[in-house]
Amino acid sequence: KFSDKEERLSGSEREEDEDDVEAALKKEVGQIRASTEQKLRRFQSVESGANNVVFIRTQGVEPENLVHHILKDMHATKKKKTRVILRMLPISGTCKAFMEDMKKYTETFFEPWFKAPNKGTFQIVYKARNNSHMNREEVIKELAGIVGSLNPENKVDLNNPQYTIVVEIIKNVCCLSVVRDYILFRKYNLQEVVKSTKEDKQQNPSSLTEEQNSKVVEPETKEEKNSKVVEPETK
């Protein structure tokens, strides 16, 4: 917006001001970008393209840490905190749902967990929605081969793996993540993780502190156990 004084400038004075036009434009573009970034929400719902699937995009939040924290809390407290959500899966990366694209992308994506000197036992879980051109066995075989090529010491463990590679294909998009405690947290099922079982007492979330671990697995002393078993009821 021009003021009355600026409209009365002579031709020579206007020419001098034109030198600052580029700087002014850069400043304005910067202000627009800043205002746009401020409008981005920390959690934003995105159309997933599949029924019964809600996709939440995060800003400045690590999905794996957030979801693991929620499940660890529910596992410890056994408090049911949702009625309508069945599973909650973090998504760390996406690519096109075609074998060549997935192979190229995962060669780099898997490095933080599986590239030497990093190593670990793993399993791969696969789910496809609104997609018929991908083959489950082929995807699992190819991705397992990539993990093995990053470090030969990476081994498959279907019973209690350190890491679970989650492959969720929705239409033509492949969503990927590498999660911990997948078996312990009942396949990241929010309805099942709050149920108490004998297995929960034998396993511990991977990020619990030593003090927390002692509270979970510390056995009863013989004296305490006996007192609970043989102590007679009072009249």
Side-chain angles (χ1 to χ4, degrees), residues 35-46:
S35 63
T36 302
E37 290 173 358
Q38 289 174 358
K39 292 178 182 178
L40 291 176
R41 296 182 179 180
R42 197 176 185 192
F43 300 98
Q44 179 71 49
S45 179
V46 179

Side-chain angles (χ1 to χ4, degrees), residues 18-33:
E18 285 177 359
D19 296 336
D20 298 329
V21 170
E22 185 177 355
L25 286 173
K26 287 182 179 180
K27 182 179 179 181
E28 185 175 354
V29 169
Q31 291 174 344
I32 293 173
R33 286 178 177 172

Side-chain angles (χ1 to χ4, degrees), residues 45-60:
S45 179
V46 179
E47 180 61 40
S48 68
N51 292 334
N52 301 322
V53 177
V54 178
F55 195 99
I56 305 296
R57 180 177 60 200
T58 62
Q59 183 77 14

